[in-house]
Amino acid sequence: MISIEGLSKQFRTDNKTITAVDQLTLDIKEGEIFGVIGYSGAGKSTFIRLLNRLEEPSGGRITIDNQEITKLKANQLRLARQEIGMIFQHFNLLWSRTVKDNIIFPLEIAGVPKAEREKRVKELIDLVGLTERENAYPSQLSGGQKQRVGIARALANNPKVLLCDEATSALDPETTNSILDLLVSINEKLGLTIILITHEMHVIRKICNQVAVMEEGKIVEQGDVLDVFLHPKQTVTKKFVEQVMGSNEEDDSVTHLINTYNQGKIVRLHFVGETTNQALISMVAKKFTIDINILQGKITQTQRGAYGNLFVQLLGEADEVNAATYFIRDETSVELEVIRDAD
C-alpha cells in the first residue's frame, strides 16, 4: 500500500544543514494501523508531512497505492491529496464555520455537487458521533469534539490513507481513549490505512498493529507491537515500553518478594499474546486445593493480546502446589517461572 525508500529531509540555515529525516525506508500494508513513535526532535512530524508533501523531500521516493507521490506535479498532487486525509494535534478548524461547514469545506474545494455534499456530511457526522452538534461552532465544542470534527473533515473525500500527527496529545486521557476507539472503529468499518505519529507508548499499545521507533531522523527499531513490547532492543524503545509497564526494577522486586513472603512457592506468570487465558487464576484455584495470593505485577493489552508479568504465591500441600505448577506450564499459554520453591 505505502512504500517509502531512502526518504530524506534537510533544513538549511545560515550556518548549517539539519537532517530531520535520514534515509528512511519503510513499507506499510493496506488496512493497517501503523504507529511511529519518537521523542521531540526525532523527525516524526516532518516524516508524516513528507507523505503528502506538505514538506518537500530532499531525496527518496514515496509510493502510495502504486502512485509515486514524489513525482507528481502540482495539479496531480492536489488530486492525490484528496485520497490522503490528515488530522492534527491542534485541530486546525475554521473557527468562523460550524461543524457542518468545516466538514463540507474539502468537498466544496473538490467540486462535489451540493446534494452529494449534504448526504456525505450527514454520514460523517453520524460516523464520528456528533449528531445534533452540526450547527455548533468550534468555540462551543470540547477538545474531543473538535478532534472528531477534524477526523470527519479528513474523511470527507473518502481517502485511502489517514495521517494522524499527534492527534491525541492535546487531549485528556479519557478523551484520548475515546478518540483512539473511534480511529479503530473507522479502520474496521472503512478498511482505512492509518499512520499515527505519537510520543506516547500507550497510544501505540492501544490501537497499532505495527510500530516504528524514530531517533535522530532514523528508524532504529520496527516490528509487531507485541514483539516490540516483549523484546525492545534499543535504549529509546525500552524507555517507551517503561511508559506503559513501569520502571524495570524487577531484580530488586524479586528479592523483596522472596524476603517478604517466606511461605509457599512464588512464581512469575508471564502473559503473552492473544491466546492468554484471562481466567487463569480463578481456574487454577477451582481445579486445585491451594490458596493463590497475587503479590504484584502489571498486565497490559495490545491489539494482539495481553502482555505482562504477575507474581503470585501458591500455598498448600506440596503435591497440589506442584500439580498446579505443571498444569499452568503444560496446559495454558502462560509462561511460568519459579522464583522460590516451597519450603
Side-chain angles (χ1 to χ4, degrees), residues 54-265:
L54 288 178
E55 292 283 357
E56 285 296 328
S58 303
R61 297 195 305 172
I62 301 166
T63 304
I64 299 178
D65 199 24
N66 298 317
Q67 185 175 44
E68 190 172 332
I69 300 298
T70 37
K71 281 188 174 180
L72 298 181
K73 303 297 183 183
N75 288 339
Q76 296 171 312
L77 180 60
R78 194 174 299 114
L79 292 174
R81 280 178 176 157
Q82 292 180 12
E83 297 189 340
I84 308 172
M86 189 165 185
I87 58 177
F88 304 88
Q89 177 181 358
H90 297 297
F91 321 125
N92 289 12
L93 302 181
L94 300 170
W95 294 88
S96 61
R97 284 181 166 238
T98 63
V99 167
K100 177 180 176 181
D101 290 338
N102 264 281
I103 298 169
I104 217 167
F105 185 61
L107 297 172
E108 292 172 345
I109 294 174
V112 176
K114 184 176 180 180
E116 190 176 334
R117 291 198 307 258
E118 295 289 335
K119 180 182 177 184
R120 180 65 179 152
V121 168
K122 186 181 185 309
E123 292 172 350
L124 289 167
I125 286 173
D126 291 342
L127 178 67
V128 301
L130 288 174
T131 306
E132 298 183 358
R133 298 295 286 162
E134 59 266 30
N135 295 318
Y137 287 88
S139 61
Q140 299 170 311
L141 303 177
S142 68
Q145 289 172 329
K146 290 171 188 172
Q147 195 57 283
R148 287 172 185 268
V149 178
I151 293 170
R153 182 183 58 187
L155 297 176
N157 283 309
N158 290 300
K160 297 176 181 176
V161 177
L162 180 63
L163 308 178
C164 306
D165 187 8
E166 297 279 10
T168 60
S169 62
L171 305 175
D172 63 74
E174 184 176 351
T175 306
T176 290
N177 285 332
S178 71
I179 293 297
L180 294 177
D181 289 340
L182 175 60
L183 291 175
V184 170
S185 175
I186 288 168
N187 169 257
E188 293 172 349
K189 289 178 181 176
L190 306 181
L192 202 61
T193 303
I194 298 177
I195 303 175
L196 190 148
I197 299 296
T198 184
H199 64 275
E200 299 171 300
M201 196 62 173
H202 75 88
V203 171
I204 300 292
R205 170 194 66 79
K206 186 173 175 65
I207 73 168
C208 294
N209 312 115
Q210 295 280 318
V211 61
V213 183
M214 283 191 73
E215 188 175 32
E216 296 182 350
K218 298 177 182 290
I219 290 178
V220 297
E221 193 160 351
Q222 178 190 346
D224 179 278
V225 169
L226 185 57
D227 291 339
V228 170
F229 263 81
L230 287 171
H231 308 293
K233 297 179 179 63
Q234 302 297 321
T235 299
V236 65
T237 312
K238 292 175 182 177
K239 288 180 179 178
F240 281 123
V241 171
E242 287 174 8
Q243 285 184 0
V244 176
M245 298 307 298
S247 298
N248 188 15
E249 300 172 346
E250 201 164 86
D251 290 342
D252 291 341
S253 176
V254 168
T255 301
H256 169 74
L257 292 176
I258 291 173
N259 292 335
T260 303
Y261 299 93
N262 52 19
Q263 290 183 320
K265 180 179 288 192

